[in-house]
Amino acid sequence: MTQPGRPLFRRSPHGGWSPVQLSPVILTVVIAALAYNTPRRMAFSRLLPAAPALAAAMWPVLPTVLLGTVCLFLMIGLSIVFPGLGTWWTAGGIVAVTVAAAYGSHVRLQRERTLFQVRLVADAAQTVVLGAMPRCFGGIEIDSLYVAAAAEARIGGDFYEAADTPYGVRLLIGDVRGKGLPAVGAAAAVVNSFREAAHDEPDLGGVARRLEASSNRYSAAFPPEDLVERFTTALLVEIPRERDSVRVLNCGHPPPLLLSRGNLRTLHPSDPSPLLNLAELIGDQYTVDAFALTPGDQLLLYTDGVTEARDLDGAFFPLEDWMRRQNTAHPRELLDSLHHDLLGYSDGGLNDDIAALAVRVG
């Protein structure tokens, strides 16, 4: 994409001009050489209008017009050497295509500038909703992964956050049902509530109730008939200062994985807690489960986009089997490996947003 202040032709990593950027020039030279070195009846010169048409796909307006002018003069020069080429017909075609290409180039650049601005806004929204990573709190290393299913979106309804509180390190990961700005707004409401509640509430149940209240306030702006379809899964995790256990409160979210000394454990809730925005319908009884931790343990929190990634045969990504094979000691390496293997497994066809937090207990 051409961005303001960027040069027209970007150099390749090896220092030369990119062959893709120079392809209209290369095409012009090839057509001119063929027209000059082949019999007149083959009339390769009639292909010259293709060069400015190709330039419109990657060049600004002025270079596109200049290339069209060069093609016009080439055609006139060829007609002097080889009379009877149908010069005026081809020259007219070059002029018409150049004008159309210049207009197409202008429209393309306008759309690219608009998309660039939209992406700046999306990046700003992502910075507000998703906390900066990696982080290290008293020997607990945390890193994150976020991949939007649509590259243009940059951000969706998946969210995460981590906070160092008086009660220990607290983590949040979740997934808002739906897409678009309403999902981003709901995610922002939950994350902002967590950033305050994590420091104020002495237990995870209190944090969950604060998240529920924020989610309800946000949903109140939508019609009542939409409320059933507006809910959020969330997972709250607390690692106390002693780092000898992990407490988990699961509001309908995929359970985290704990890899401890080569043994993998899926931390299923003993009694599932209600999804956010549904507590008024099914009750607000929250259950916190505790699991033992030892130094060197790795914890993986993730959204359902990870487990619902499919291969070409429709089989789901085998996350638990994948996790058992991991022996990396750093969260960033674990998440990079997960991202790489997910793309390979799905052949690059991820259908849902992906968010994950990797935690290593020192």
Side-chain angles (χ1 to χ4, degrees):
M1 179 179 70
T2 303
Q3 299 178 5
R6 295 287 182 90
L8 168 60
F9 300 114
R10 289 176 290 180
R11 290 184 177 273
S12 71
H14 304 291
W17 298 115
S18 166
V20 174
Q21 292 284 354
L22 290 177
S23 58
V25 176
I26 297 171
L27 179 62
T28 302
V29 172
V30 169
I31 292 173
L34 289 172
Y36 184 79
N37 291 287
T38 57
R40 184 178 63 181
R41 66 179 181 276
M42 301 186 71
F44 278 103
S45 58
R46 296 177 183 176
L47 297 177
L48 282 171
L54 177 62
M58 60 191 74
W59 289 5
V61 176
L62 182 57
T64 300
V65 173
L66 289 176
L67 182 64
T69 303
V70 169
C71 290
L72 179 61
F73 280 112
L74 278 174
M75 186 62 212
I76 294 173
L78 287 169
S79 68
I80 295 173
V81 178
F82 303 106
L85 284 177
T87 304
W88 298 114
W89 290 105
T90 306
I94 292 173
V95 172
V97 170
T98 299
V99 171
Y103 177 74
S105 175
H106 171 74
V107 172
R108 175 182 57 81
L109 289 174
Q110 288 293 104
R111 290 178 177 176
E112 287 182 353
R113 291 189 186 100
T114 301
L115 178 59
F116 178 67
Q117 295 300 323
V118 170
R119 284 182 170 176
L120 287 179
V121 173
D123 288 342
Q126 185 180 47
T127 302
V128 171
V129 176
L130 305 181
M133 298 287 176
R135 302 185 193 180
C136 184
F137 301 131
I140 299 176
E141 300 176 72
I142 308 169
D143 215 327
S144 63
L145 171 68
Y146 186 89
V147 181
E152 295 80 3
R154 298 297 180 93
I155 186 171
D158 291 8
F159 57 87
Y160 54 76
E161 185 56 289
D164 188 15
T165 76
Y167 312 103
V169 174
R170 286 177 167 176
L171 309 171
L172 167 71
I173 192 168
D175 183 5
V176 178
R177 178 183 174 88
K179 302 290 183 182
L181 290 178
V184 176
V190 173
V191 171
N192 289 333
S193 178
F194 172 80
R195 288 168 179 160
E196 294 296 326
H199 294 271
D200 299 337
E201 298 293 339
D203 62 86
L204 292 181
V207 177
R209 290 181 178 88
R210 292 273 292 272
L211 302 187
E212 168 74 15
S214 295
S215 180
N216 284 336
R217 284 194 295 269
Y218 177 81
S219 298
F222 297 93
E225 60 269 16
D226 291 346
L227 295 182
V228 176
E229 295 298 323
R230 296 188 180 277
F231 59 84
T232 301
T233 68
L235 184 73
L236 290 167
V237 173
E238 178 183 282
I239 303 175
R241 297 294 180 185
E242 298 78 14
R243 303 202 300 272
D244 57 353
S245 65
V246 56
R247 301 182 185 120
V248 180
L249 191 158
N250 194 328
C251 297
H253 197 77
L257 301 179
L258 177 63
L259 186 63
S260 178
R261 300 178 180 178
N263 297 316
L264 182 69
R265 185 175 183 184
T266 303
L267 307 185
H268 291 288
S270 58
D271 189 11
S273 301
L275 281 66
L276 301 185
N277 212 42
L278 294 182
E280 291 184 354
L281 299 177
I282 61 177
D284 62 349
Q285 299 300 315
Y286 296 100
T287 302
V288 178
D289 297 289
F291 305 90
L293 277 183
T294 57
D297 285 358
Q298 293 175 308
L299 193 65
L300 180 66
L301 287 62
Y302 55 93
T303 58
D304 58 8
V306 175
T307 52
E308 292 180 1
R310 297 172 181 259
D311 63 10
L312 297 178
D313 297 325
F316 291 115
F317 182 72
L319 180 62
E320 294 185 8
D321 292 339
W322 177 88
M323 189 68 176
R324 288 189 182 92
R325 299 192 299 268
Q326 306 309 307
N327 55 9
T328 179
H330 196 277
R332 182 71 265 157
E333 295 173 0
L334 180 70
L335 293 175
D336 287 344
S337 178
L338 176 62
H339 187 198
H340 177 270
D341 292 345
L342 278 171
L343 289 176
Y345 186 83
S346 63
D347 196 26
L350 297 175
N351 296 319
D352 196 3
D353 299 336
I354 287 174
L357 287 177
V359 182
R360 181 179 182 271
V361 181

